[in-house]
């Protein structure tokens, strides 16, 4: 049996995370040319159901698509909450950043997201590698 060095495992893990991050970031940048608020509401409802059922990856997809179809920036906040449930703090941080980059946030929304981002950055992180 051939073993793989820890350096190779770390490289592969970083590459996979980078690809997943760029795929997910696309919905925040590619808003539909013509908003479809009915479709956005449907997707938001599906995302809420998925979140309640603990299907956080599905919820991320639904919330991201809802945002793309013209739903308000709160969808990005919802995605950050899913990221946290999945214990993916780096992606949660990016979701909060995308939320904060939206021009039409209320002062309270901006303050809440800034606070959440600060708490997230203060969290200790761990890296576990299993090389069986």
């Amino acid at each position: 049996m051939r073993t793989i060095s820890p350096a190779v495992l770390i490289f592969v893990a970083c590459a996979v995370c980078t690809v997943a991050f760029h795929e997910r970031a696309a919905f925040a940048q590619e808003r539909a040319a013509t908003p479809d608020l009915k479709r956005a509401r449907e997707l938001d409802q599906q995302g809420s159901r998925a979140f309640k059922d603990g299907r956080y990856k599905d919820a991320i997809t639904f919330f991201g698509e809802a945002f793309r179809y013209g739903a308000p920036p709160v969808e990005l906040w919802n995605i950050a909450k899913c990221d946290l449930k999945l214990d993916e703090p780096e992606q949660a941080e990016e979701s909060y950043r995308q939320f904060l980059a939206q021009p039409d946030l209320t002062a309270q929304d901006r303050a809440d997201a800034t606070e959440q981002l600060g708490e997230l950055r203060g969290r200790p992180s761990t890296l576990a590698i299993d090389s069986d």
Side-chain angles (χ1 to χ4, degrees):
M1 178 176 197
R2 186 174 177 198
T3 60
I4 300 174
S5 76
V8 170
L9 290 174
I10 291 171
F11 174 78
V12 170
C14 289
V16 168
C17 289
T18 300
V19 168
F21 169 77
H22 288 294
E23 287 176 1
R24 282 192 29 179
F27 59 68
Q29 297 169 1
E30 297 175 11
R31 298 277 275 190
T34 304
D36 183 348
L37 297 182
K38 181 180 180 210
R39 181 71 180 136
R41 275 191 294 275
E42 291 169 357
L43 289 161
D44 174 71
Q45 290 170 354
Q46 289 176 309
S48 294
R49 281 192 296 275
F51 186 90
K52 287 177 188 172
D53 292 343
R55 295 180 296 116
Y56 304 116
K57 289 185 185 230
D58 291 339
I60 287 170
T61 300
F62 290 128
F63 291 141
E65 284 297 304
F67 182 72
R68 197 171 77 75
Y69 278 102
V74 71
E75 302 298 350
L76 300 172
W77 177 278
N78 292 341
I79 291 169
K81 294 300 180 188
C82 292
D83 291 330
L84 291 173
K85 290 286 191 180
L86 292 167
D87 196 29
E88 296 178 352
E90 294 85 7
Q91 292 196 348
E93 182 176 341
E94 182 56 30
S95 296
Y96 282 127
R97 285 183 191 190
Q98 289 175 353
F99 178 77
L100 287 166
Q102 302 306 304
D104 54 348
L105 297 179
T106 67
Q108 186 62 54
D109 286 344
R110 193 168 298 284
D112 290 345
T114 301
E115 180 181 340
Q116 289 293 314
L117 190 55
E119 288 177 13
L120 183 59
R121 288 179 178 158
R123 273 178 54 172
S125 61
T126 59
L127 173 64
I129 299 175
D130 184 9
S131 63
D132 287 337

